Each structure stands twice: as C-alpha cells, then as structure tokens.
Amino acid sequence: MAVYGHIGFVGLMRTKIKEDIKKWQEVFAKDGYSQHWVHTDKAGYFYAMHNHPIDTAYVVLTGSMGVEVDGEMRVFNAGERFDAPKHVFHSAKIGPKGCTFLIGVRV
C-alpha cells in the first residue's frame, strides 16, 4: 500500500512540475524569451565561469542551484528565477539533490 501512495505522490509531483513549466513558459514569452526548454543536472555538477551572447533566464523546478556573479554566490531553490543578461559572466553549481530547471532565451 505504501508503494501505491509513493507512486501517487510522484504522479502529483510530475503534474505540479508540468503546471509550473506551463506557467513559467507563459511568463518567459511575455518577457520576450521566445525559446525555452527543460534541463536536468546531477548533484554537484559545475558550470565554470562563462557568459552567453544572448539574454537567458532560468527557473528552478526541483532541487537547487548556486549561481555566482561578480564574486557573490546565491542559491536558487524550486520556484525561484534568475536572469543572466548577455555578456555577464557567471558560474553555477548544482545542489546536493540535483536540479531540474527551465531555460529561456531571447533570440
């Protein structure tokens, strides 16, 4: 019986994530981010300092991600958004439970 409860909970979580993705895709579109996709990284994955030639926006769907800009680190958790304007250098480290996030780009 506990197994079925767990499967039901996972199903609810997936439904919630799908709802979050749809909501954030609408927000991104209104903000001019015409392309968006979902990406998942394993715990501890590290993106070295880099920048992008276009504006990017991220919303954490599950887990967490630490982002460093100008020597300052901030951790973003599920439901939080951060923007990386074009040419701004930043690095990111995925939290201990991994991270699934929605990425939006202005093209």
Side-chain angles (χ1 to χ4, degrees):
M1 196 166 208
V3 172
Y4 293 115
H6 178 70
I7 291 170
F9 178 71
V10 170
L12 288 174
M13 289 294 290
R14 288 187 183 141
T15 299
K16 171 81 169 94
I17 291 170
K18 287 179 183 179
E19 291 171 359
D20 288 347
I21 291 168
K22 183 177 179 182
K23 176 187 86 169
W24 282 107
Q25 285 175 327
E26 291 171 1
V27 171
F28 278 1
K30 287 179 186 174
D31 291 346
Y33 294 90
S34 58
Q35 295 181 9
H36 20 83
W37 62 94
V38 175
H39 184 78
T40 299
D41 282 318
K42 292 183 180 183
Y45 191 85
F46 179 71
Y47 291 92
M49 194 61 68
H50 66 284
N51 68 7
H52 305 278
I54 54 178
D55 294 331
T56 57
Y58 306 83
V59 173
V60 175
L61 300 168
T62 65
S64 63
M65 177 189 311
V67 178
E68 181 181 347
V69 177
D70 293 330
E72 186 175 327
M73 175 69 76
R74 176 166 174 214
V75 175
F76 293 86
N77 296 295
E80 295 183 311
R81 171 184 172 167
F82 66 94
D83 295 302
K86 64 182 175 182
H87 307 302
V88 172
F89 280 89
H90 58 284
S91 65
K93 183 171 182 183
I94 302 304
K97 294 182 180 180
C99 187
T100 297
F101 49 99
L102 179 66
I103 303 168
V105 295
R106 284 190 181 131
V107 291

